[in-house]
Amino acid sequence: MKKRIAIFASGSGSNAQKIMEHFKYSNMAEVSLVLSNNPDAYVLQRADNFEIPSHVFDRKTFYESSEVVDILKRLEIDLVVLAGFLWLIPENLLKAFPNKIINIHPALLPKFGGKGMYGDRVHKAVLEAAEEEHGITIHFVNENFDEGEVIQQAKFKIDADDTLETIKFKGQQLEHQYFPKVIENLLKKYN
């Protein structure tokens, strides 16, 4: 039986798209559901384009009910993937999927992580700190933002003429290259 992936995203969903593309014809796994806390997120259109069901929830539902966990359990989800999802994961979801929730962060953690550090905010902070390298981190999710065990990191050198847009682009290339492969390798380890 195919392994089942659920993707959480809050925005555009370019990583979600790469994951959906990667597993579209896979015999091993499929993206079974896309979830978002943003009813206007473009990721929902991307899911629709792949004929993958989606579910939108609000803050109260996510933090004060078991609705999201119940849906994931009913669908027998094997791995929960956060791909640009901006909310902290509640305890009931962490307990329901121990070591089966992963996230991608657009920096080399532990640097430039934590609450409020996402998207362009991360890249601006990296440029302001005059870092010589930048990259991505794929990690397990725990009760704190960006503090779970690191699964894989990939980095690139920051060139003198790099701008916010160029480092963002370089980082996104790494995300798209590594994230689907890391997901596939993790799923191979699950019975």
Side-chain angles (χ1 to χ4, degrees), residues 18 30 57 86:
K18 292 297 178 191
E30 67 181 21
F57 54 87
L86 303 181

Side-chain angles (χ1 to χ4, degrees), residues 21 26 31 50 64 80 98 103 110 125 145-146 151 156 159 165 176:
E21 287 171 5
S26 168
V31 176
F50 280 84
E64 296 176 25
V80 174
N103 181 47
F145 281 111
D146 305 323
I151 300 165
F156 61 86
D159 297 318
E165 288 306 313
H176 295 169

Side-chain angles (χ1 to χ4, degrees), residues 120 123 127 134 156-174:
D120 286 356
H123 305 305
L127 286 174
H134 190 25
F156 61 86
K157 186 179 176 298
I158 297 178
D159 297 318
D161 59 348
D162 272 344
T163 64
L164 176 68
E165 288 306 313
T166 57
I167 68 166
K168 186 172 157 180
F169 176 78
K170 288 178 182 180
Q172 208 164 41
Q173 295 302 303
L174 290 179

Side-chain angles (χ1 to χ4, degrees), residues 52-149:
I52 295 170
S54 59
H55 179 74
V56 177
F57 54 87
D58 60 23
R59 187 170 285 278
K60 185 172 175 50
T61 300
F62 195 51
Y63 290 108
E64 296 176 25
S65 82
S66 65
E67 179 183 296
V68 172
V69 170
D70 294 344
I71 291 168
L72 296 173
K73 285 191 170 284
R74 193 167 55 248
L75 289 175
E76 298 178 356
I77 296 299
D78 295 290
L79 184 66
V80 174
V81 175
L82 310 185
F85 184 68
L86 303 181
W87 289 358
L88 196 62
I89 299 303
E91 189 177 339
N92 67 336
L93 185 49
L94 290 169
K95 281 188 173 157
F97 293 89
N99 294 318
K100 296 209 174 153
I101 307 174
I102 65 170
N103 181 47
I104 191 160
H105 184 74
L108 296 168
L109 293 174
K111 289 182 172 183
F112 308 105
K115 186 171 173 55
M117 289 302 283
Y118 59 88
D120 286 356
R121 293 177 179 191
V122 172
H123 305 305
K124 285 177 184 163
V126 167
L127 286 174
E128 286 168 9
E131 293 287 313
E132 292 182 6
E133 60 183 17
H134 190 25
I136 64 162
T137 303
I138 299 166
H139 64 93
F140 286 106
V141 172
N142 65 15
E143 63 281 355
N144 300 311
F145 281 111
D146 305 323
E147 290 183 14
E149 179 190 343

